[in-house]
Amino acid sequence: MTAEDLGALATEASDPRYARLDQMSVAELAQTMNDADATVPAAVQRALPQIVPAIEAAAERMAQGGRLVYVGAGTPGRIGVLDASECPPTFSTPPELVFAIMAGGPGAIVNPVEGAEDDAEAGAAAIDAADIGPLDTVIGIASSGRTPYVVAAVRKAGERGALTVGLSCNADTPLSAAAAHGIEVEVGPEVLSGSTRLKSGTAQKLVLNMFSTIAMVRNGKAYGNLMVDVKATNHKLRERAIRMVRTIAEVDRDTATAALEEAAWDVKVASVMIRRGDDLAAATARLAAAAGRLRTALEEN
């Protein structure tokens, strides 16, 4: 892509509404940025017809044992790292189930690695190194939709049989062309021209929230709207676990706490123990037979 082509991208454009940004007061700047940010959910809404089938396909592959893999450079890569890193504590998933590949390696999460995003060969090699296969879903994230590292990674993942998704913030991008599912959340020019950590980054986080959360909910990681697979590793989360068991099993605090302590603070096991009258071994076996789905374990005959 030439310099002229890059300049034509909406994410690189300069919006005349913000031409006096450096002359605004703090109050004006805050209002301006907030007004701009308020347009992002509407842009995501317009992209839902692209987002929904991609999530459906990803959730189906994850149900068969596939992984969810984010690939990005710079801010999009860091957003992928953030979303992936929240899955183990929220859903008790192993770290290798949802993970991120960052252009430039782990060090680039904190310190930029010059030229990493332009290294297409490294992007393809990272997919090979992760042993991406047919059950996996690879989501390439690039605000511009043309980052060579990301486009090459998505293309290589497709060659290896993976489900591929390209998430960008421009129209008709090379990333969308390389992916089976192109998602283009057109947020328009940034308040600070070219600073795609702003609206573009917010849009990417919203979409990745949908991917990881919906895939997990569809695969039994929630009961109603309760995060029943949470790891109760601190006081706040143990209190949350107690409230969940009290709600699910309709018992008092002491009964819920006792069951959780016996179940090593596993909300699903404790709930089955109380609701079904099972001991620890039987509740664990019942959940395993239900593929970890609490509703199935509670309602089966």
Side-chain angles (χ1 to χ4, degrees), residues 95-290:
E96 62 272 15
L97 182 65
V98 183
F99 65 93
I101 295 173
M102 180 80 181
I109 297 170
V110 177
N111 297 307
V113 176
E114 298 299 332
E117 72 172 51
D118 294 328
D119 193 340
E121 290 185 5
I127 294 298
D128 286 333
D131 196 25
I132 296 300
L135 290 181
D136 297 327
T137 299
V138 173
I139 303 178
I141 317 161
S143 301
S144 66
R146 46 73 54 198
T147 304
Y149 183 100
V150 178
V151 174
V154 166
R155 187 174 290 118
K156 172 61 75 169
E159 291 171 1
R160 293 179 65 103
L163 174 72
T164 55
V165 180
L167 172 58
S168 64
C169 294
N170 283 299
D172 303 320
T173 68
L175 180 56
S176 292
H181 293 269
I183 298 173
E184 298 175 341
V185 185
E186 297 181 62
V187 296
E190 301 288 359
V191 170
L192 184 65
S193 299
S195 184
T196 52
R197 67 187 183 88
L198 302 178
K199 290 191 296 181
S200 296
T202 300
Q204 291 155 14
K205 186 64 174 74
L206 291 176
V207 175
L208 296 193
N209 282 349
M210 291 181 183
F211 264 93
S212 56
T213 303
I214 295 172
M216 294 299 171
V217 170
R218 296 289 291 174
N219 281 286
K221 293 292 187 177
Y223 180 83
N225 66 339
L226 303 178
M227 60 166 77
V228 288
D229 264 316
V230 68
K231 286 187 176 179
T233 54
N234 58 41
H235 176 72
K236 178 189 74 174
L237 296 179
R238 285 191 291 274
E239 287 297 316
R240 183 182 298 166
I242 291 168
R243 291 195 300 273
M244 285 192 285
V245 172
R246 292 189 66 183
T247 297
I248 296 166
E250 299 180 338
V251 293
D252 59 29
R253 179 183 177 87
D254 289 344
T255 302
T257 303
L260 281 164
E261 289 174 343
E262 185 176 354
W265 290 91
D266 186 312
V267 170
K268 294 197 290 191
V269 172
S271 297
V272 172
M273 288 170 62
I274 298 171
R275 284 272 299 268
R276 300 305 301 257
D278 291 340
D279 61 18
L280 178 61
T284 302
R286 190 187 295 274
L287 269 169

Side-chain angles (χ1 to χ4, degrees), residues 21-68:
L21 201 68
D22 63 335
Q23 298 173 292
M24 291 182 182
S25 68
V26 171
E28 288 175 310
L29 285 164
Q31 186 65 58
T32 296
M33 291 186 67
N34 191 59
D35 288 345
D37 289 340
T39 68
V40 175
V44 173
Q45 174 75 32
R46 291 192 294 272
L48 284 179
Q50 300 170 341
I51 295 169
V52 170
I55 296 177
E56 289 174 336
E60 183 177 336
R61 294 200 182 201
M62 291 186 77
Q64 300 175 60
R67 299 171 293 174
L68 181 62

Side-chain angles (χ1 to χ4, degrees), residues 5-27:
D5 291 333
L6 281 171
L9 295 175
T11 52
E12 294 291 323
S14 179
D15 192 322
R17 291 178 298 174
Y18 311 130
R20 54 177 294 271
L21 201 68
D22 63 335
Q23 298 173 292
M24 291 182 182
S25 68
V26 171

